Structures are given as structure tokens and as C-alpha cells.
């Protein structure tokens, strides 16, 4: 089966579902999953439609033209992606390797429906890991004096390799607007804490010193406000006075792996719509 995903967002009104579904029906597309959400705050409507396009009676470009014409007529934002065109993922990493290994292993076992285009790092340390998994490794040195140049080099590399989105697998650098603006809502970061608490270095040690009873990890889209982009996934685990900081670090690694992989899967399957700094994520 060849499938595609259509996402719609617009001010809510009557008839949107019928009009959109009629376009698909006219092309002999068979809907296999449809979900809607209405945002009461702004009277905003969101729609996710997955459909079988293996027997559509027109070229894909014609379907896109019809959607474009309807969107201009009744006013909605839309995106259409075909699942036989896998998204190309770039992984950015520094020296911590647990999230990188998790993504590479999940991809090896067919759990990530992406093509891993490359791994980019500001250190050379993990090149052997990339070679083991048969993934191209690129080392672009980076410090506070050459951030802009490094990010421009990354943008140029990603464009050359036709990268669709990026996972920051514990890439311990602050991105500049050069890279963020080139990939808006397409850079997924994992935060080693339950946002927004305990920012900065050694968050688990900070949590331990405060005697917290719950620790967590967060995946989110990167934007120009540090660690404040739209949240995609969060996981927490309970802790007690008996847990050491090292116990929390170990638990944190597992949580970071989970939330980053979940976010990559959701983005790759086109289940996310970002609206006003928050995410609507369909099942």
C-alpha cells in the first residue's frame, strides 16, 4: 500500500472536513485514518488524514494543485507528504553517545522510518561509531567565536545532502539563528531535564541537591529562545532520598533516549502540527 498524509489547520467553520475529503474522493484516494482537533482558545481547527494513494486517478501534482486552489478559496494551511519518500535525517551529536546509539539501533531494526543522511559533530570522537553503522560522519569544529561560521557550514552541508530534519542527540552547543531559521520546526532537541526546571550544567546533580521527587526529560523543537521551543514529548520517573545523582543520570539517559526517539518518529510520520508555540500531535 502506498500512503500519504495530509495536514490541515485553519479557523474553525462548518464544512471543512467534507470539502477536504471530497477532494480526496474525487482522486479515488481511500482514507484509512482521519483525526481532528478544535482549539477552543482561538477557534482553530486541525486535521490529520492518512490515505491510500496507490489507486488515485490523477498525478500527485494534480492533487496538490486542487488542494492549493481549495486552500486559497476557503483559507487553510496544508501540507502533503507521501510515505514512499522517506525524510532524510541529520543527527547532531557532541561526545555523549547514548542518544546517538539509540537512534542508530532503532534505525537498523526498522523502527525509524527515515533515511539517516549523516552525523555531524563538533568533535571527532564518535567517527568510529558512525563508520560501524555505515553513516557518513562530518566534523565541524565549533566554539563561541566561530558559531555563525560553523552553523553556516552545517546549513550548506545539510542542503547538499538534502536533509529534511535534524535530531540533536545531545549536541551540547547553542544554535545560532543561521541554522534555526534554515530549519524552522525541523530541529528536534532533547533536554536533559523536565523543562523548564534545572537549566544548565549537571541538571541531575542540581535535582539531587534540591531533593526532588520527580525527574524527567523533554524533547522539543529548537528555536531562538534556549530550551523553550514547542514541546513534543516528556517522560518522568519518581525518585526518593535513596537515589544518588548517578542513579538519576542513569535514569536520565533512558528517558532522553525515549523522548528523542518518540519525537523523531512523530515528525517522520507527519503527526505534528505546530501552532503558536505548542504542538498538536495526532495518534
Amino acid at each position: 500500500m502506498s500512503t500519504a498524509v495530509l495536514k490541515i489547520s485553519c479557523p474553525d467553520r462548518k464544512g471543512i472536513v467534507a470539502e477536504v475529503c471530497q477532494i480526496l474522493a474525487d482522486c479515488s484516494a481511500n482514507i484509512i485514518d482521519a483525526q481532528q482537533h478544535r482549539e477552543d482558545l482561538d477557534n482553530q481547527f486541525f486535521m490529520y488524514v492518512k490515505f491510500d494513494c496507490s489507486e488515485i486517478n490523477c498525478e500527485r501534482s494534480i492533487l496538490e494543485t486542487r488542494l492549493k486552489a481549495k486552500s486559497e478559496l476557503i483559507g487553510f494551511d496544508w501540507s502533503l507528504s507521501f510515505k514512499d519518500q522517506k525524510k532524510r535525517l541529520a543527527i547532531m551529536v557532541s561526545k555523549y553517545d547514548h542518544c546517538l546509539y539509540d537512534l542508530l539501533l532503532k534505525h537498523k531494526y526498522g523502527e525509524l522510518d527515515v533515511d539517516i543522511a549523516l552525523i555531524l559533530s563538533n568533535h571527532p570522537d564518535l567517527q568510529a561509531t558512525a563508520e560501524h553503522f555505515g553513516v557518513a560522519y562530518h566534523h565541524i569544529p565549533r566554539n563561541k567565536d566561530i558559531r555563525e561560521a560553523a552553523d553556516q557550514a552545517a546549513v550548506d552541508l545539510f542542503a547538499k545532502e538534502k536533509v529534511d530534519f535534524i535530531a540533536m542527540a545531545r549536541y551540547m552547543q547553542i544554535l545560532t539563528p543561521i541554522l534555526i531559521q534554515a530549519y524552522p520546526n525541523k530541529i528536534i532537541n532533547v533536554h536533559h531535564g523536565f523543562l523548564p526546571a534545572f537549566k544548565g550544567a549537571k541538571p541531575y546533580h542540581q535535582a539531587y541537591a534540591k531533593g526532588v521527587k520527580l525527574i524527567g526529560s523533554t524533547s522539543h523543537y529548537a528555536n531562538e529562545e534556549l530550551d523553550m521551543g514547542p514541546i513534543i514529548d516528556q517522560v518522568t520517573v519518581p525518585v526518593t532520598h535513596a537515589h544518588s545523582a548517578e542513579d538519576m543520570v542513569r535514569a536520565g539517559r533512558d528517558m532522553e533516549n525515549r523522548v528523542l526517539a518518540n519525537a523523531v518518529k512523530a515528525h517522520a510520520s507527519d503527526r505534528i502540527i505546530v501552532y503558536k508555540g505548542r504542538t498538536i500531535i495526532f495518534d
Side-chain angles (χ1 to χ4, degrees):
M1 182 187 296
S2 178
T3 62
V5 169
L6 172 65
K7 295 186 294 187
I8 300 286
S9 64
C10 61
D12 191 25
R13 67 167 183 78
K14 295 179 180 178
I16 297 171
V17 173
E19 294 188 61
V20 170
C21 290
Q22 188 61 56
I23 294 174
L24 298 179
D26 290 341
C27 292
S28 294
N30 182 39
I31 295 174
I32 54 181
D33 186 17
Q35 301 175 48
Q36 299 89 41
H37 171 69
R38 182 179 179 276
E39 194 83 351
D40 289 334
L41 182 63
D42 291 334
N43 191 39
Q44 193 76 8
F45 176 79
F46 306 91
M47 184 177 180
Y48 165 96
V49 184
K50 184 177 181 180
F51 60 93
D52 178 1
C53 58
S54 55
E55 296 183 4
I56 59 175
N57 59 19
C58 65
E59 297 292 332
R60 294 178 178 183
S61 59
I62 293 176
L63 173 56
E64 293 172 340
T65 297
R66 292 175 181 176
L67 286 166
K68 183 175 184 293
K70 181 63 71 172
S71 70
E72 292 172 350
L73 181 64
I74 66 176
F76 60 78
D77 295 324
W78 63 281
S79 66
L80 179 64
S81 62
F82 294 91
K83 296 295 101 178
D84 58 0
Q85 301 169 348
K86 290 186 179 182
K87 289 181 170 57
R88 289 177 59 77
L89 170 68
I91 302 175
M92 301 181 73
V93 64
S94 290
K95 291 187 177 182
Y96 293 110
D97 60 5
H98 55 285
C99 287
L100 173 64
Y101 268 105
D102 187 66
L103 291 177
L104 292 172
L105 285 171
K106 282 183 167 59
H107 182 261
K108 177 180 178 180
Y109 295 131
E111 297 177 32
L112 296 180
D113 189 24
V114 300
D115 289 329
I116 299 181
L118 60 96
I119 297 168
L120 184 149
S121 180
N122 56 321
H123 298 284
D125 302 54
L126 296 173
Q127 183 165 352
T129 301
E131 291 173 352
H132 175 76
F133 284 92
V135 179
Y137 190 85
H138 297 267
H139 173 216
I140 298 180
R142 197 176 191 280
N143 59 49
K144 64 181 181 180
D145 298 321
I146 57 170
R147 284 176 180 169
E148 289 78 9
D151 280 1
Q152 185 59 60
V155 169
D156 294 341
L157 174 64
F158 294 160
K160 177 183 176 183
E161 297 299 329
K162 296 181 172 57
V163 167
D164 294 302
F165 74 117
I166 301 155
M168 297 174 67
R170 295 303 302 272
Y171 183 70
M172 309 302 290
Q173 294 287 311
I174 298 174
L175 302 185
T176 69
I178 292 172
L179 184 49
I180 290 172
Q181 291 174 9
Y183 288 88
N185 294 326
K186 293 182 179 180
I187 303 174
I188 299 170
N189 191 22
V190 59
H191 187 272
H192 46 199
F194 192 72
L195 288 174
F198 303 118
K199 292 183 179 181
K202 296 187 176 182
Y204 298 111
H205 294 76
Q206 294 180 53
Y208 174 71
K210 291 292 185 181
V212 302
K213 306 307 179 194
L214 198 68
I215 61 174
S217 186
T218 303
S219 58
H220 63 94
Y221 286 120
N223 62 13
E224 294 183 33
E225 190 174 3
L226 182 62
D227 293 331
M228 294 299 287
I231 291 171
I232 303 172
D233 193 31
Q234 293 184 296
V235 171
T236 60
V237 297
V239 293
T240 71
H241 62 277
H243 287 81
S244 67
E246 289 71 26
D247 291 332
M248 295 183 187
V249 170
R250 284 190 287 270
R253 284 196 292 264
D254 290 338
M255 290 187 293
E256 290 160 17
N257 289 346
R258 287 173 59 189
V259 296
L260 182 59
N262 287 345
V264 169
K265 290 177 183 178
H267 186 97
S269 58
D270 291 291
R271 292 187 287 111
I272 307 174
I273 297 178
V274 178
Y275 177 70
K276 287 191 174 181
R278 62 191 300 264
T279 56
I280 290 84
I281 304 177
F282 295 99
D283 297 331

